[in-house]
Structures are given as structure tokens and as C-alpha cells.
Amino acid sequence: MRIGIAGTGRIGAYHANTLRNLDVVDEVVLADAFPETAQRVAGELGLQAVESVDALLDSGLDGLVVASPTTTHESLIRAGVAAGIPTFCEKPVAASLDSALALAEVERASTVPIHIGFQRRFDAGYMRAHEAVANGELGFVHTVRAMTLDTAPPPKEYVEVSGGIFRDCSIHDFDIIRFVTGREVSSVCAFGANKGAPYIKTAGDVDTGSGVFMLDDDTIVSFSCSRHNAFGHDVRMEVHGSTGDIAVGLDDTLALTSAEPDATFPAGPRVMSFMDRFLPAYVRELTAFVEVVQGTRPSPCTVHDGVQAQRMAEACDLSRREGRVVQMSEIPDVADDVQAEASGSAV
Ligand SMILES: NC(=O)c1ccc[n+]([C@@H]2O[C@H](COP(=O)([O-])OP(=O)(O)OC[C@H]3O[C@@H](n4cnc5c(N)ncnc54)[C@H](O)[C@@H]3O)[C@@H](O)[C@H]2O)c1
């Protein structure tokens, strides 16, 4: 199997390394907007690089991995699908909700599978929480808490094209809230603040956010995010039900300090980056994509799923800007016929 990667920056180089170690993958071919970047990564990993994304698409690929900036996702997904190549694309599905909705139409109109990269769906803890809720092990779920605290803000150039903390960072929590609870959101009230890196405020973004979602079964979900958690990458979820609870991220790597004098938990060492935190999940995720390419499974996370997470981000941004509760019905959605076709998706 021959897999091409478009975009060989932070996550593209990481995915290249994962893919080259999968038994079923024979060749990994790299391209980047800057050919020298692809050449350098190819040299480091012992892979092949080509001059451009066009050359990549013409090189006889079985599968395409899009790992370029969010602003390029729509055109590259369209190019992959037009060439008939099963396409994996990093989150978020697109830079704007309009783009994401247009891609939902592309997905509906084609038989070429598209897999959106929300790797938490392949993390052992989140999979277990999903299973516990789906099996009714927790009774009825009344509250959920979800959070992502990053050790350091991304560079200024990244922040400027990221779409903001809700669309870029919390979107992982938004997707996994849907995945674990199996529910959709009805309304949200969100807040944002800046206390750290000044370029985040200049870009119109916030470095810290929090909010509360009401789900369509009256489960109340609180979430929070920050770019400034220098002492550890803290990604967690708690699910509380009437007869039980379950927590994701509650092991000795937890980046939290106990105030209890005799506590020995968490013993450490702490995880400092998403790459360390989710290494096994990324391997499972790309293994799943390879199975999508082989035609042995459907996409485990469709554009439709990506659109729903993006709508949640859109609602949070609107809420924090206007200082009010936002109903999800205010946020544009995919057309009803597309909804109906996507109802068999992974959530
Ligand atoms: N799932 C995750 O945990 C995760 C983590 C990090 C990033 N991401 C996502 O991955 C994407 C890339 O993020 P990153 O941190 O690797 O960014 P990055 O800036 O480190 O790398 C992006 C690379 O894409 C190249 N590029 C730019 N335009 C291109 C084009 N049109 N065609 C091909 N290559 C192009 C750039 O030259 C650069 O090398 C973003 O959408 C981001 O949201 C996901």
C-alpha cells in the first residue's frame, strides 16, 4: 500500500513515522508547500519526497493523509476525493463552517471515504468511557467534565490561521463529548479570557476558555481549555452517572497536584505534549485509516462528525463574543437529506 502525506510539519512528520512502521504500508511518500521541508523529513525517516502536492496525487496513491494547515483542508480533501483516493484529514475538518458544510456535500456525493483525524476516539480511556455509557454501566449520565490544557501556546503564525482556541483545541473535547455520550448539543454558554501570550489577543483569540453545554437528553457538560499549563499536558474527562462514574486521564501521569498532605497520587512522571499523551491512539487511528483504504471498514469519523464538532466551536465563539446563551439551532447545519444519510456514522 502506498500512502501520500500532504504537509510535513509537526503532525505530518509524526504521522509519516507512524505510517512507515505499519506492516501493511509499503511506501510513504511526502509533499509539502515547501519541497525542501518534505525532502528534509523524508531524509530523516528514510522515505521518498515529491516536488508538489499535484505530483503526490499523480503518483499512484492508495490513500492520502492531509496534515497541512487548517486553511488548506477543504481544497486538499476535494483534490483527494476528485482523484478517487481515500482521504484522511487532520482536525478540524475546515477553516470555516461554510467550508465544512461544503465538504459534507462532497462526502455525500461521493463513494470515496473521508476520515477526519480526531485521535481521542482511538484512545483506550475514551473508548472505555464510550463503552461504559453505551452499555448503561453508569445508569443515566447527569454531568460530564472535559478539559484540554496545553503546556504552551502554539507559535503566532499558527494561532493566526488556527480559527481560535475553540475551533483548534477544544474541538477535540467537542468531538469526544459527542462520541462518549452519543448525544448532540442543544445549547451552550461559553467564556474566554487572555492572561498570557499577547499575540493571542492581537489575533482576536483567547488563551483560556470555558463553558457549559446542555445536551439533547438534559446532560450538563462543562468544558475548559488553556494554552498556559506549563507544568503538564492535562487532558481529562469525567462522566458522572446515577449508578457509577468513570474518568479518562486519571493515572499517574496526571498533571495535577494534590493538596492532601499524605497523597502519593499522581506519582508521575507527567506527560508534556499531545504527541506523548496520544501516541497509541495515533497508531490505532492510522491503522483504522489503512483499513478504510483497504475497504474493510467505513470511515470511523466522517465529515458529518467533523461538522458537528465545528458547529459546537462556532456556537462557543458566538456565545463568548456576544455574552449570551446560544441555541444550536442558530448555527447552520448540513441539509436534512445529508443528515439522514450520515445517521449511520460512528457516533
Ligand atoms: N490531531 C491532533 O492532535 C493534531 C495535532 C497538531 C496539529 N493538528 C492539525 O494538523 C494540521 C497541521 O498542523 P501542524 O501543527 O502540523 O502545522 P505545521 O505548521 O507544523 O505544519 C504544516 C505544514 O504544511 C505545509 N503546508 C502549508 N500549505 C500546504 C499546502 N497547501 N499543501 C501541502 N503542505 C502545505 C507547511 O509548509 C508545513 O510544513 C492543522 O490542521 C492542525 O489543526 C492536529
Side-chain angles (χ1 to χ4, degrees):
M1 180 183 297
R2 183 175 163 90
I3 303 287
I5 302 183
T8 55
R10 212 165 44 139
I11 199 78
Y14 186 86
H15 285 337
N17 189 41
T18 301
L19 283 163
R20 78 180 175 136
N21 288 315
L22 296 184
D23 286 344
V24 71
V25 176
D26 304 305
E27 287 174 285
V28 180
V29 192
L30 310 181
D32 194 279
F34 297 94
E36 60 277 15
T37 303
Q39 288 289 354
R40 177 180 49 74
V41 175
E44 286 165 6
L45 297 176
L47 302 172
Q48 185 194 340
V50 292
E51 274 300 296
S52 66
V53 173
D54 285 344
L56 187 72
L57 291 167
D58 287 344
S59 71
L61 298 180
D62 297 301
L64 172 68
V65 169
V66 177
S68 48
T70 301
T71 47
T72 66
H73 289 184
E74 183 184 352
S75 61
L76 288 175
I77 291 176
R78 283 181 182 278
V81 170
I85 305 167
T87 299
F88 173 98
C89 181
E90 264 307 334
K91 52 54 63 178
V93 60
S96 71
L97 183 58
D98 282 350
S99 271
L101 291 170
L103 284 170
E105 287 291 339
V106 170
E107 180 175 70
R108 184 189 60 82
S110 172
T111 55
V112 177
I114 305 171
H115 175 175
I116 303 301
F118 283 113
Q119 82 278 359
R120 290 186 194 180
R121 289 177 178 235
F122 296 91
D123 174 76
Y126 284 110
M127 289 193 292
R128 174 70 192 109
H130 165 84
E131 180 187 65
V133 173
N135 291 346
E137 293 171 44
L138 311 182
F140 64 81
V141 174
H142 48 78
T143 43
V144 177
R145 293 183 206 169
M147 66 162 70
T148 300
L149 308 180
D150 271 337
T151 48
K156 181 171 174 288
E157 301 70 32
Y158 182 97
V159 168
E160 285 169 355
V161 296
S162 69
I165 196 166
F166 295 139
R167 294 186 189 87
D168 179 59
C169 172
S170 297
I171 200 152
H172 283 291
D173 292 293
F174 300 163
D175 178 66
I176 211 68
I177 288 166
R178 291 182 66 243
F179 178 73
V180 168
T181 64
R183 308 303 311 187
E184 300 292 352
V185 172
S186 299
S187 60
V188 65
C189 187
F191 299 88
N194 278 297
K195 289 187 167 182
Y199 59 81
I200 296 182
K201 187 172 186 179
T202 308
D205 194 6
V206 291
D207 63 39
T208 300
S210 190
V212 178
F213 290 112
M214 181 66 85
L215 303 191
D216 59 4
D217 68 343
D218 283 354
T219 302
I220 298 175
V221 181
S222 59
F223 77 94
S224 56
C225 55
S226 180
R227 303 288 198 187
H228 291 288
N229 209 60
F231 44 87
H233 181 71
D234 190 357
V235 173
R236 267 183 283 154
M237 174 180 267
E238 292 173 14
V239 186
H240 300 274
S242 55
T243 59
D245 57 25
I246 197 160
V248 180
L250 192 67
D251 64 11
D252 278 325
T253 66
L254 177 63
L256 199 62
T257 307
S258 175
E260 305 305 330
D262 298 324
T264 54
F265 173 84
R270 294 177 173 189
V271 171
M272 298 306 286
S273 88
F274 63 87
M275 293 186 177
D276 296 332
R277 169 71 173 81
F278 288 111
L279 174 63
Y282 287 119
V283 174
R284 281 191 210 102
E285 175 183 59
L286 289 176
T287 302
F289 175 58
V290 162
E291 291 165 4
V292 171
V293 172
Q294 289 172 319
T296 56
R297 69 179 295 167
S299 169
C301 187
T302 60
V303 171
H304 181 268
D305 292 317
V307 166
Q308 297 313 318
Q310 195 128 354
R311 291 181 68 239
M312 291 163 74
E314 211 69 26
C316 287
D317 216 37
L318 185 62
S319 174
R320 79 139 179 114
R321 285 177 192 280
E322 297 192 354
R324 66 178 177 93
V325 174
V326 168
Q327 303 297 323
M328 285 306 291
S329 54
E330 298 177 53
I331 309 297
D333 199 352
V334 288
D336 285 347
D337 56 333
V338 182
Q339 289 261 32
E341 283 180 42
S343 60
S345 69
V347 166

